[in-house]
Amino acid sequence: MFWHVPGLSAASPVDTILDKENFKLEDLLDEDEIIQECKALNTRLINFLRDKVQVELLLRYIVEETPDDAEKKRIFRFPFIACEIFICEVDVILKTLVEDEDLMNLLFSFLKPDHPHGTLLAGYFGKVVICLMMRKTLPLMNYVKSHPEIVSQLVDLIGITSIMEVLIRLIGADETMYSSYADSMQWLDDIQVLEMIVDKFSSSDSAEVHANAAEILCAVTRYAPPALATKISSPSFVGRLFHHAFEDSRPKSVLVHSLSVCISLLDPKRLVSASYQAFRSQLSHGTLVTASPETVNGMLDSLGDLLKLLDVSSAENILPTTYGSLQPPLGKHRLKIVEFISVLLSIGSEVAEMRLIDLGAIKHVINLFFEYPFNNFLHHHVENIIVSCLESKQDHLIAHVLDECELVTRILEAEKNSALSIDLTKRTLSSEGRTPPRVGFVGHITRIANKLIQLANSNSTIQSHLQQNSGWTEWHASILTKRNAVENVYQWACGRPTSMQDRGRDSDDEDFRDRDYDVAALASNLSQAFKYGIYPSEDVDEAQASQERDDEVWMCILMMKLLK
């Protein structure tokens, strides 16, 4: 902030405009310093902008589309500046807006079905409404409650991301909004807002609509107002999700995003995109939805239909790749089903484990692991499934993976035939005329094998199974041990990467500690350098004069090194 010295400080361009007799709002919007003056609370400017007429003009720039032949500043600059003026959060300007019914009607007229909904103006509209939610929460909520059609209009425009963000905050699925009106959220349940959102999976074919609807529902599972937490985790709501997912002729995006909601119900922290601190702040205000046994059972009712979609035998499409071809490609929907199974196993539900065993789900996904050797997303989820089974306290689940799924045998076979198959009956084929590449899941196999060895130390079932397999004993001794040694980065000759316990060390101190310097040899080399004239002649005399002192310094360093 600068001191305003009379006669020395230049007048603000905004004040210059305000000094004119017949200036217009457009003159101010065209001035570069108007936002800075708003934030500085320029009294004359604020008194002008707080007037109802000027607020109405600002709103029209935000909610009304301009003709294509209009000036560029009318299309781009004026709406942007108008939005920025509102989100400067000047109280008297926001007060003028929220206390006038006509102005609020004008603002929310943007949502009407017959109104154009460009993404640019939708972004400005969303910013203004969110600002009102933050600074004028009660007046805004009272207005929305008295106009319930606004909620349905927001849901109809859910495919626009800016509108989706408004809806997330409106229903309280945001840590910055929830504490402001936590006790007044029952009305959202009364108007069935969750049902309206989930029904977009059925009424729209747009993948953007499905993605945004799922994002809202996932936000509710992570940070739900009490009025909505019970409903979204109910078996009837889960059944409604799967009903839309399994409808005939529905896009695969419906299934993918429906499963995203179910995954978030099972593990709310899994899909959190905000920081850990933000998530912790949510826990202090909202209700973290946890999957009850009833919720899990509601999902298990549709598990059989999901597993039918994992079957790739009837698909005929072929996808060429750089290494060969996929016949058919796995697809996002099958990958999402595998992820869902992975999360379902991680919650420790014995009922879910038994159902997955009975339906052959675990064996099926392990088969997919080997049938698609370059799909590392798939490998990651299947590895999690295997580890969850092996770490389970249920012996029947461990035995199922080792015996019925033949995990160890499959690992040894894959290691023996580590090149991509050229068998035409396989799902992944190598290109003709080229050397088949090595399969891409060797790293995952190595980690699974190491996990087996680790767990065998504490689990007699796993230990007995490994000892009875002679092939495993030979492979472990001849290949796995050597591979682990090669991949042990702490034994690399080129140096050791920084580990967690070393991060507190100073970099200079680390060099001194880790390198075994021969101090005496360094001192000798330095003396030889001066002796043979490696340094310039004009420096030799000075160096020789101080050589005795330098030798003493080097000897001190040497003694310190030897005493350590």
Side-chain angles (χ1 to χ4, degrees), residues 305-358:
D305 294 327
L306 280 177
L307 295 180
K308 292 178 182 178
L309 297 176
L310 278 181
D311 185 15
V312 295
S313 60
S314 60
E316 298 180 354
N317 52 322
I318 298 176
L319 177 66
T321 67
T322 55
Y323 52 80
S325 61
L326 295 171
Q327 50 180 26
L330 183 69
K332 291 177 62 176
H333 64 291
R334 295 190 184 96
L335 182 64
K336 182 62 71 171
I337 294 173
V338 176
E339 181 184 358
F340 171 70
I341 295 173
S342 172
V343 178
L344 194 59
L345 275 171
S346 69
I347 64 175
S349 169
E350 187 174 354
V351 176
E353 293 172 354
M354 291 302 301
R355 189 67 183 277
L356 289 170
I357 291 176
D358 294 340

Side-chain angles (χ1 to χ4, degrees), residues 478-532:
S478 61
I479 296 178
L480 183 60
T481 303
K482 295 180 180 179
R483 180 180 300 168
N484 288 333
V486 170
E487 295 178 358
N488 186 355
V489 296
Y490 297 101
Q491 295 181 2
W492 288 356
C494 61
R496 168 180 51 74
T498 302
S499 60
M500 293 295 294
Q501 61 269 26
D502 294 331
R503 290 184 179 178
R505 289 171 51 177
D506 180 74
S507 58
D508 294 332
D509 186 45
E510 182 178 357
D511 288 341
F512 178 73
R513 291 180 182 178
D514 292 340
R515 297 183 183 181
D516 189 16
Y517 290 109
D518 189 343
V519 182
L522 290 175
S524 176
N525 291 338
L526 182 63
S527 299
Q528 294 295 325
F530 285 118
K531 179 179 179 180
Y532 291 106

Side-chain angles (χ1 to χ4, degrees), residues 181-427:
Y181 53 98
D183 298 330
S184 61
M185 301 302 297
Q186 182 61 43
W187 67 278
L188 286 171
D189 188 29
D190 296 337
I191 64 175
Q192 299 185 332
V193 62
L194 291 183
E195 286 82 355
M196 286 191 287
I197 294 172
V198 76
D199 285 345
K200 298 303 290 184
F201 287 127
S202 178
S203 61
S204 173
D205 290 338
S206 170
E208 290 78 9
V209 171
H210 304 155
N212 288 350
E215 179 63 28
I216 295 175
L217 295 174
C218 289
V220 173
T221 65
R222 295 190 297 263
Y223 179 71
L228 304 179
T230 303
K231 175 174 287 187
I232 197 170
S233 59
S234 65
S236 60
F237 190 86
V238 173
R240 194 166 186 160
L241 269 175
F242 281 112
H243 172 73
H244 294 318
F246 294 133
E247 284 181 350
D248 295 336
S249 71
R250 300 304 299 145
K252 289 295 188 291
S253 60
V254 175
L255 175 62
V256 170
H257 296 296
S258 296
L259 287 175
S260 294
V261 179
C262 293
I263 290 171
S264 189
L265 277 169
L266 294 172
D267 186 4
K269 293 182 288 185
R270 185 181 182 86
L271 300 178
V272 174
S273 58
S275 66
Y276 179 70
Q277 290 298 331
F279 179 71
R280 289 296 299 272
S281 67
Q282 291 175 5
L283 294 182
S284 64
H285 297 295
T287 302
L288 185 65
V289 177
T290 55
S292 64
E294 293 77 14
T295 305
V296 175
N297 290 336
M299 297 179 185
L300 295 180
D301 291 339
S302 303
L303 189 58
D305 294 327
L306 280 177
L307 295 180
K308 292 178 182 178
L309 297 176
L310 278 181
D311 185 15
V312 295
S313 60
S314 60
E316 298 180 354
N317 52 322
I318 298 176
L319 177 66
T321 67
T322 55
Y323 52 80
S325 61
L326 295 171
Q327 50 180 26
L330 183 69
K332 291 177 62 176
H333 64 291
R334 295 190 184 96
L335 182 64
K336 182 62 71 171
I337 294 173
V338 176
E339 181 184 358
F340 171 70
I341 295 173
S342 172
V343 178
L344 194 59
L345 275 171
S346 69
I347 64 175
S349 169
E350 187 174 354
V351 176
E353 293 172 354
M354 291 302 301
R355 189 67 183 277
L356 289 170
I357 291 176
D358 294 340
L359 293 173
I362 299 174
K363 186 175 183 179
H364 197 155
V365 297
I366 291 178
N367 289 338
L368 291 177
F369 179 97
F370 294 99
E371 289 177 353
Y372 291 90
F374 295 105
N375 193 323
N376 288 149
F377 296 105
L378 171 67
H379 303 155
H380 169 74
H381 294 311
V382 177
E383 180 186 346
N384 289 339
I385 290 173
I386 294 173
V387 171
S388 295
C389 293
L390 295 176
E391 292 180 343
S392 173
K393 297 180 180 179
Q394 306 297 328
D395 291 337
H396 63 270
L397 187 58
I398 299 175
H400 174 73
V401 173
L402 295 177
D403 298 330
E404 298 179 35
C405 298
E406 300 179 324
L407 176 63
V408 176
T409 302
R410 299 296 300 272
I411 291 176
L412 297 177
E413 289 177 353
E415 284 285 345
K416 184 178 180 180
N417 303 303
S418 59
L420 186 60
S421 175
I422 57 174
D423 186 353
L424 297 179
T425 63
K426 299 294 185 180
R427 304 299 173 196

